[in-house]
């Protein structure tokens, strides 16, 4: 695949970015793909066993479309890409690319730029007009309700519509897209990317209903009477809290409160000042070292924050892990996002003791303590505070970006009475995706817990296959 000696002849080229001083003045995407993508495709070596297949949760057939790009066969590359991934323009922007960590080239040098090639293929497809609705030749007469319009729900909806089922997607917000729409800032993911795919799906027969909260203004059990199958793909939306003194102070917010209101305003919604969370002129502390924390950093810098500090309770990872030990698995290594590059202080092995406020109930500082991780006699990691290491960080805005624990149980899940697993997710296996309630299926973060967009797409596709087989007795949808 690619050129047998390409990895020796060509260096990896990464995305280029607009200067920091320019890009923090707006919320638009600021990255640019390399111009010579065929050369990047040529770097895909004939490795014999392409570990990238299993590194990718949706098992993209990566060497095949790399080879097609190298030879200039872009339409073929698009067909291969779409055979496993409904939305490569999503993953090409926001997937962390576990496929690249599993790339054989990554053992000896820089991995093939798989994610960039993927994005270049699908964007060329849109540019050339190759991406069109796939309208089914026959309708089955079966109706499927999908609750939640994130990547899992959208993937399931498209797959089921293409085999002739009538699909209705219910979304509680005023726009389609779930966490991708409001939880990921526009500078990482322009929302027109979702809108153009929605247009294709509408033409394929998918009906989208916004402002429809199942379990509130839409009765959950009524869906069972009106539809032949129901898929729950509402995501994992219960945020992990930090119950320390001062948690109720003004200015301490869950990350999604901060990010959602900002994106709603960027998209043109009228968000009153008393509801909007602004970082302008404030010292900001972001608690949590993951992608959501990075999004809080980038958003704060665009607001004009006085300073941004990100703290993480875990140890600082190695910048360059031993690939002979970690490959082809996802390694724990130090990663620096574009938002972190734009300006923030990062600190590791820091725990939050309390939030300190003024006389009017507004947060003014975060009291922290340094911690260390040691193993006990049973080999289990244990967290210990370092005596006398307490310190304070100034903060007029704190965002809690520590992940999510499980789906929201109140409302829909309580009405339906579905069983839950030990972590509070909707219980279902990854073969038939069926819940404990007849006709009700589940996919995505609601089933597996907080995860990646690429995993959600996989789950949506697999769940669609299970639902089609349930409705029709057999299925032609791919695994």
């Amino acid at each position: 695949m690619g050129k047998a000696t390409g990895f020796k002849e060509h260096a990896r080229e990464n995305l280029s970015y607009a200067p920091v001083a320019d890009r923090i003045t707006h919320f638009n995407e600021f990255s640019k793909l390399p111009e010579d993508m065929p050369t990047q495709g040529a770097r895909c070596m004939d490795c014999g066993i392409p570990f990238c297949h299993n590194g990718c949760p949706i098992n993209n057939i990566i060497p095949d479309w790399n080879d097609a790009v190298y030879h200039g066969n872009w339409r073929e590359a698009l067909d291969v890409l779409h055979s496993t991934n409904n939305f490569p323009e999503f993953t090409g922007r926001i997937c962390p690319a576990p496929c690249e960590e599993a790339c054989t080239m990554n053992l000896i040098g820089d991995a093939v730029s798989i994610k960039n090639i993927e994005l270049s293929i699908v964007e060329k497809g849109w540019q050339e007009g190759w991406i069109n609705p796939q309208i089914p030749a026959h309708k089955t007469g079966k109706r499927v309700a999908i609750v939640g319009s994130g990547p899992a729900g959208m993937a399931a909806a498209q797959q089921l519509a293409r085999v002739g089922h009538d699909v209705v997607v219910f979304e509680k917000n005023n726009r389609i897209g779930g966490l991708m729409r409001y939880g990921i800032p526009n500078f990482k993911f322009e929302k027109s990317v979702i809108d153009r795919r929605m247009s294709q799906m509408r033409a394929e027969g998918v009906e989208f209903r916004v402002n429809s909260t199942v379990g509130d203004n839409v009765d959950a059990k009524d869906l069972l009477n009106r539809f032949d199958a129901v898929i729950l793909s509402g995501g994992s939306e219960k945020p992990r809290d930090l119950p320390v003194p001062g948690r109720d102070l003004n200015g301490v917010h869950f990350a999604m409160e901060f990010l959602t209101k900002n994106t709603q305003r960027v998209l043109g919604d009228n968000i009153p000042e008393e509801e909007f969370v602004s970082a302008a002129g404030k010292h900001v502390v972001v608690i949590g070292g993951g992608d959501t924390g990075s999004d809080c950093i980038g958003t704060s810098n665009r607001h004009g924050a006085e300073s941004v500090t990100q703290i993480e309770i875990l140890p600082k990872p190695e910048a360059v892990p031993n690939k002979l030990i970690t490959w082809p698995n996802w390694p724990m290594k130090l990663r620096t996002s574009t938002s972190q590059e734009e300006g923030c202080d990062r600190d590791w092995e820091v725990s939050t003791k309390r939030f300190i406020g003024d006389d009017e109930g507004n947060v003014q500082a975060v009291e922290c303590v340094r911690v260390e991780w040691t193993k006990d006699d049973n080999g289990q990691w244990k967290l210990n505070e370092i005596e006398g290491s307490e310190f304070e960080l100034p903060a007029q805005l704190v965002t809690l970006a520590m992940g999510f624990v499980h789906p929201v149980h109140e409302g829909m899940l309580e009405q339906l009475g579905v069983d839950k697993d030990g972590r509070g997710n909707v219980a279902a296996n990854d073969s038939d995706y069926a819940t404990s309630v007849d006709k009700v299926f589940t996919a995505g973060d609601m089933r597996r817990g907080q995860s990646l967009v690429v995993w959600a797409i996989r789950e949506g596709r697999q769940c669609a296959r299970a639902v089609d087989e349930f409705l029709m007795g057999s299925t032609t949808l791919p695994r």
Side-chain angles (χ1 to χ4, degrees), residues 234-308:
S236 179
E237 295 188 306
K238 187 72 171 180
R240 180 173 284 105
D241 208 344
L242 187 59
V244 298
R247 170 62 182 89
D248 58 346
L249 289 169
N250 299 323
V252 182
H253 298 273
F254 288 120
M256 284 302 146
E257 296 177 57
F258 177 53
L259 297 173
T260 296
K261 294 297 183 185
N262 180 79
T263 300
Q264 287 174 329
R265 181 172 282 190
V266 169
L267 294 178
D269 288 355
N270 181 23
I271 306 299
E273 285 301 322
E274 61 270 19
E275 295 181 14
F276 188 70
V277 183
S278 175
K282 297 176 181 177
H283 295 288
V284 178
V285 173
V286 178
I287 301 177
D291 289 338
T292 301
S294 286
D295 294 342
C296 291
I297 294 167
T299 301
S300 296
N301 282 326
R302 282 159 179 76
H303 283 184
E306 181 68 21
S307 70
V308 183

Side-chain angles (χ1 to χ4, degrees), residues 111-419:
V112 175
S113 52
I114 299 169
K115 179 178 172 180
N116 293 345
I117 297 172
E118 174 184 38
L119 183 56
S120 68
I121 293 169
V122 69
E123 288 301 325
K124 189 171 184 65
W126 285 109
Q127 179 183 340
E128 298 293 333
W130 296 335
I131 301 176
N132 297 300
Q134 297 181 27
I135 301 172
H138 305 284
K139 301 293 283 187
T140 66
K142 302 292 186 180
R143 303 185 73 225
V144 182
I146 297 178
V147 184
S149 67
M154 288 185 70
Q158 185 166 63
Q159 293 294 93
L160 289 168
R162 286 177 173 179
V163 291
H165 301 308
D166 292 320
V167 179
V168 180
V169 178
F170 294 86
E171 169 56 51
K172 66 180 179 180
N173 291 310
N174 64 343
R175 293 183 179 88
I176 295 297
L179 183 67
M180 293 188 304
R181 173 72 70 173
Y182 289 124
I184 301 175
N186 277 36
F187 58 79
K188 283 176 60 176
F189 189 65
E190 291 275 10
K191 302 314 182 290
S192 59
V193 174
I194 302 175
D195 296 335
R196 68 184 178 187
R197 192 59 85 166
M198 281 176 57
S199 297
Q200 179 199 35
M201 293 174 65
R202 282 197 178 100
E204 293 170 342
V206 177
E207 179 185 347
F208 295 100
R209 297 184 187 177
V210 297
N211 299 313
S212 300
T213 305
V214 178
D216 185 8
N217 63 349
V218 177
D219 185 81
K221 291 189 176 180
D222 186 48
L223 293 185
L224 299 180
N225 298 324
R226 295 190 289 122
F227 292 87
D228 298 294
V230 177
I231 297 176
L232 309 180
S233 56
S236 179
E237 295 188 306
K238 187 72 171 180
R240 180 173 284 105
D241 208 344
L242 187 59
V244 298
R247 170 62 182 89
D248 58 346
L249 289 169
N250 299 323
V252 182
H253 298 273
F254 288 120
M256 284 302 146
E257 296 177 57
F258 177 53
L259 297 173
T260 296
K261 294 297 183 185
N262 180 79
T263 300
Q264 287 174 329
R265 181 172 282 190
V266 169
L267 294 178
D269 288 355
N270 181 23
I271 306 299
E273 285 301 322
E274 61 270 19
E275 295 181 14
F276 188 70
V277 183
S278 175
K282 297 176 181 177
H283 295 288
V284 178
V285 173
V286 178
I287 301 177
D291 289 338
T292 301
S294 286
D295 294 342
C296 291
I297 294 167
T299 301
S300 296
N301 282 326
R302 282 159 179 76
H303 283 184
E306 181 68 21
S307 70
V308 183
T309 303
Q310 183 180 34
I311 58 176
E312 168 60 57
I313 199 168
L314 294 174
K316 183 177 181 179
E318 295 179 346
V320 183
N322 186 337
K323 294 180 181 179
L324 295 177
I325 295 176
T326 61
W327 182 90
N329 298 315
W330 181 256
M332 181 63 70
K333 69 177 182 180
L334 181 64
R335 293 175 169 85
T336 301
S337 69
T338 54
S339 291
Q340 288 163 337
E341 290 173 347
E342 290 165 2
C344 79
D345 294 322
R346 303 167 72 184
D347 206 349
W348 288 265
E349 291 185 286
V350 174
S351 179
T352 303
K353 296 288 286 183
R354 66 185 178 113
F355 301 114
I356 302 170
D358 59 20
D359 293 338
E360 297 179 353
N362 301 307
V363 67
Q364 294 297 315
V366 181
E367 182 181 307
C368 306
V369 63
R370 300 205 174 273
V371 298
E372 60 181 356
W373 293 86
T374 58
K375 285 187 177 181
D376 60 21
D377 296 338
N378 297 319
Q380 300 296 314
W381 286 105
K382 188 177 181 181
L383 177 67
N384 302 290
E385 294 185 1
I386 299 175
E387 187 177 352
S389 66
E390 293 83 0
F391 64 99
E392 290 184 11
L393 293 170
Q396 290 81 49
L397 172 63
V398 177
T399 60
L400 307 180
M402 302 176 297
F404 301 86
V405 291
H406 52 64
V408 174
H409 293 164
E410 297 78 14
M412 178 181 69
L413 299 186
E414 287 183 347
Q415 284 187 17
L416 291 174
V418 292
D419 289 348

